[in-house]
Amino acid sequence: MEVISKKLFNKPERKIKIMQFGEGNFLRAFVEWILQDLNDKGAIDAGVAVVQPMPMGRVADLAAQDGLYTLRLEGIDNGKKVKKSQVINVIGDCVNPFTDYEKYLKYGESEDLQVIISNTTEAGIAVDPTDTDFTVCPKSYPGKLLALLKRRYDHFKGDMKKGLAIVPCELIDNNGDELYRCLTELAEINKMDKAFIKWMQTANHFTSTLVDRIVPGYPRNEIEDIQKETGYIDNNVVKGEIFHLWVLKKEPFVQKVLPADSTGLNVIFADDIKPYKQRKVKILNGSHTAMVPVAYLCGIDTVGEAVNDPVIGKFVRDFVFDEVNPTIKLPQDQMTAFANSVIERYQNPFIRHELMSIALNSTTKFKTRLLPTLLDYVQIKGKLPQHLLFSLAAIIEFHKGKRGNEAIALKDDPAYLEKWAKLWAEFDGDYKKLVNKVLAWKEAWDMDMNTIHPEICDTVAKYLSAMEAKGMCAAVECFVSGCKGTCK
């Protein structure tokens, strides 16, 4: 069996118009898949130069396969199980700037280059003040990009028409604005020419984005079956779900050179990406966080099992549709469609998503994923979201650290775990007193949650007492049946 290469598959020769920082699973299963679709449908004619952002990476592995690799998309699409493979052929060059820095910089002189795309992890867009020697490859992503832009500025003598579309995909708020800020700060640290800094800021076109697709990565346990099915060896197979969403803030130049919304994919250019970010965090991430302690303490271990359970599944759906959707300022038909797609993704039979992996750092996750919904719901509705508060009670119960006779492997900030242990160690049977202390924990929530609504402490204490008295399974079953956790 041969390794995938140009010998086995036709690979079109395309001019390199896009430079991509990052060669990891997500970009290959998401952005390059979108670029493949744009090329295949004639919306663009552009090859990609993939740049390895860290000393260790896979550009050599990709180059050994002539930039070709297989994408496996698996999941539920319109209620049907889908499993399909596709060869991605958009990579035209693989660049390791740590071993060939000049080759990397030479792309700054390219007449063809139009777009920079990146996903260098959330920590990638940050200023490294020690990135001051540009005669060698800078350590940080902003340093590398700054070096490339300086080469471009010098080569084209500050031509304002030679700016690039800069499209970060890192999972931080306002990633385009943040990258712009980091580049400016690093240029100033290096005392670069003010004319260059102005060119960098005004000739180039930064846009913020939101990305969404679950990408499990290399299907190690299935690779032998995949090779038998495809008939070739591929050391860079990447697996992703069917669902995809890319929201980009509108920017005319970016839309011109990267018309990613033109081929019918789930790509949106929006005036404001904030509502879409809220939608993802509140519905997808928020329902994960609300689900975990309830389902796990019922003896369930995965997301799929949880949403397919008649009781837990109803709890999750009612939480999303009744308490989250009303807090997001998007048309309700869009909210309903997105919420349904989230539930469908949770039911993906090809992905085993462990609840305990989502439980990591659950204290902070409550603050970032559920507290905003709680505050917004109370402001809009003037009453408390009962499913969310039931989940908060379950989070308190979860941090008692026991599932039946089994110890829970809690993973969180050590200071938070110490505080949870202290709260339960001081528990004297008064649930209201315990809940009051939890709600007043300003170090965790950045506020005293007792002030949100006069009934919040009593409500959470009632649910926690029911969980302790009856067990989670009986408590949640009673809750979803309509008695709100008070039945005997």
Side-chain angles (χ1 to χ4, degrees):
M1 200 177 289
E2 291 189 60
V3 175
I4 185 173
S5 69
K6 288 191 289 187
K7 285 173 57 181
L8 301 179
F9 289 92
N10 177 49
K11 185 180 179 186
E13 293 297 324
R14 304 182 179 103
K15 291 181 179 178
I16 301 294
K17 297 181 182 179
I18 300 168
M19 175 172 278
Q20 175 183 295
F21 285 86
E23 78 288 25
N25 292 324
F26 183 80
L27 284 176
R28 290 187 297 115
F30 182 77
V31 170
E32 286 174 21
W33 172 74
I34 292 173
L35 297 177
Q36 183 75 48
D37 193 67
L38 294 174
N39 272 299
D40 290 346
K41 294 177 180 175
I44 62 172
D45 183 15
V48 179
V50 174
V51 178
Q52 183 171 296
M54 302 293 289
M56 299 296 291
R58 65 167 61 243
V59 294
D61 293 338
L62 288 167
Q65 298 184 172
D66 296 327
L68 299 169
Y69 64 92
T70 308
L71 172 62
R72 299 273 292 187
L73 295 181
E74 301 177 347
I76 306 293
D77 191 17
N78 293 320
K80 297 180 180 179
K81 291 182 181 180
V82 177
K83 185 185 252 189
K84 55 188 177 181
S85 297
Q86 177 183 4
V87 173
I88 303 297
N89 64 26
V90 297
I91 296 177
D93 196 11
C94 299
V95 183
N96 185 343
F98 296 93
T99 58
D100 197 342
Y101 186 43
E102 181 56 30
K103 176 184 177 181
Y104 163 68
L105 290 178
K106 199 72 177 173
Y107 270 106
E109 303 175 9
S110 169
E111 291 276 1
D112 299 319
L113 191 64
Q114 297 176 327
V115 181
I116 301 288
I117 295 173
S118 66
N119 187 13
T120 55
T121 79
E122 291 91 320
I125 298 182
V127 174
D128 183 346
T130 67
D131 253 344
T132 55
D133 183 2
F134 284 25
T135 63
V136 295
C137 181
K139 292 169 285 185
S140 69
Y141 166 49
K144 294 180 187 69
L145 182 54
L146 189 62
L148 183 87
L149 293 174
K150 183 61 166 63
R151 171 66 72 93
R152 191 168 186 82
Y153 171 81
D154 291 341
H155 180 77
F156 290 110
K157 299 179 173 55
D159 187 343
M160 294 295 291
K161 295 181 180 179
K162 298 300 182 182
L164 302 171
I166 299 177
V167 185
C169 297
E170 287 83 355
L171 293 175
I172 59 173
D173 287 341
N174 306 308
N175 47 21
D177 296 337
E178 187 63 16
L179 181 55
Y180 172 98
R181 184 195 68 77
C182 289
L183 289 168
T184 300
E185 184 178 339
L186 190 57
E188 290 171 347
I189 288 172
N190 281 280
K191 296 182 171 56
M192 289 181 161
D193 181 65
K194 289 184 178 179
F196 162 69
I197 295 177
K198 184 176 181 181
W199 176 88
M200 179 188 71
Q201 294 173 327
T202 56
N204 296 282
H205 308 266
F206 296 80
T207 192
S208 292
T209 71
L210 168 69
V211 297
D212 188 5
R213 169 172 267 175
I214 297 171
V215 178
Y218 184 73
R220 192 173 308 278
N221 296 333
E222 306 166 55
I223 194 62
E224 290 186 10
D225 292 337
I226 291 173
Q227 289 177 355
K228 288 176 183 177
E229 177 187 319
T230 60
Y232 55 79
I233 296 169
D234 184 348
N235 297 311
N236 295 284
V237 177
V238 61
K239 181 177 175 180
E241 68 169 337
I242 298 292
F243 179 88
H244 64 283
L245 172 66
W246 198 8
V247 184
L248 303 93
K249 190 171 182 180
K250 284 183 179 177
E251 205 291 334
F253 182 79
V254 175
Q255 291 175 266
K256 177 183 176 182
V257 298
L258 189 65
D261 62 341
S262 64
T263 61
L265 298 179
N266 196 15
V267 180
I268 300 167
F269 281 98
D271 292 318
D272 182 8
I273 68 173
K274 184 177 179 181
Y276 296 94
K277 176 69 181 291
Q278 286 183 331
R279 185 177 72 174
K280 176 181 182 288
V281 171
K282 284 185 170 184
I283 294 181
L284 178 68
N285 304 118
S287 62
H288 269 159
T289 300
M291 172 200 313
V292 165
V294 179
Y296 188 76
L297 291 175
C298 283
I300 294 172
D301 292 321
T302 70
V303 171
E305 292 173 272
V307 294
N308 287 322
D309 179 88
V311 175
I312 303 300
K314 178 172 170 47
F315 177 86
V316 173
R317 288 175 177 85
D318 290 348
F319 164 70
V320 170
F321 285 98
D322 296 344
E323 297 179 4
V324 180
N325 281 8
T327 71
I328 301 173
K329 294 180 180 179
L330 284 172
Q332 282 305 301
D333 60 336
Q334 291 186 27
M335 296 301 303
T336 298
F338 183 79
N340 283 328
S341 75
V342 166
I343 300 300
E344 194 171 70
R345 294 166 74 185
Y346 289 167
Q347 294 172 318
N348 187 343
F350 304 110
I351 295 177
R352 181 179 172 84
H353 201 168
E354 298 283 344
L355 293 175
M356 282 304 294
S357 69
I358 303 170
L360 177 69
N361 298 325
S362 57
T363 309
T364 299
K365 284 177 178 175
F366 177 87
K367 181 180 77 171
T368 58
R369 299 176 173 188
L370 293 178
L371 181 55
T373 296
L374 172 57
L375 295 171
D376 291 344
Y377 187 91
V378 171
Q379 182 180 15
I380 294 167
K381 298 288 189 178
K383 59 183 181 180
L384 291 165
Q386 298 298 316
H387 292 75
L388 195 154
L389 295 189
F390 187 93
S391 178
L392 175 56
I395 288 172
I396 299 172
E397 180 71 9
F398 179 81
H399 282 92
K400 193 175 184 180
K402 284 285 195 179
R403 181 167 77 164
N405 295 321
E406 169 193 358
I408 300 174
L410 301 171
K411 293 183 180 179
D412 209 327
D413 183 305
Y416 289 164
L417 293 179
E418 184 178 343
K419 175 70 172 182
W420 282 116
K422 184 172 185 289
L423 287 166
W424 274 108
E426 293 174 348
F427 176 60
D428 61 2
D430 187 334
Y431 291 102
K432 187 173 179 180
K433 186 196 299 185
L434 171 60
V435 170
N436 179 271
K437 290 179 182 179
V438 171
L439 296 175
W441 187 5
K442 291 184 180 181
E443 293 81 5
W445 323 127
D446 291 335
M447 68 175 298
D448 182 348
M449 289 200 290
N450 287 290
T451 63
I452 293 174
H453 190 280
E455 296 176 10
I456 187 170
C457 185
D458 286 339
T459 302
V460 177
K462 174 185 68 176
Y463 294 145
L464 180 60
S465 174
M467 293 170 192
E468 288 267 293
K470 296 183 289 194
M472 182 60 72
C473 292
V476 69
E477 187 170 358
C478 178
F479 178 89
V480 301
S481 70
C483 68
K484 300 307 177 197
T486 58
C487 61
K488 302 298 182 182

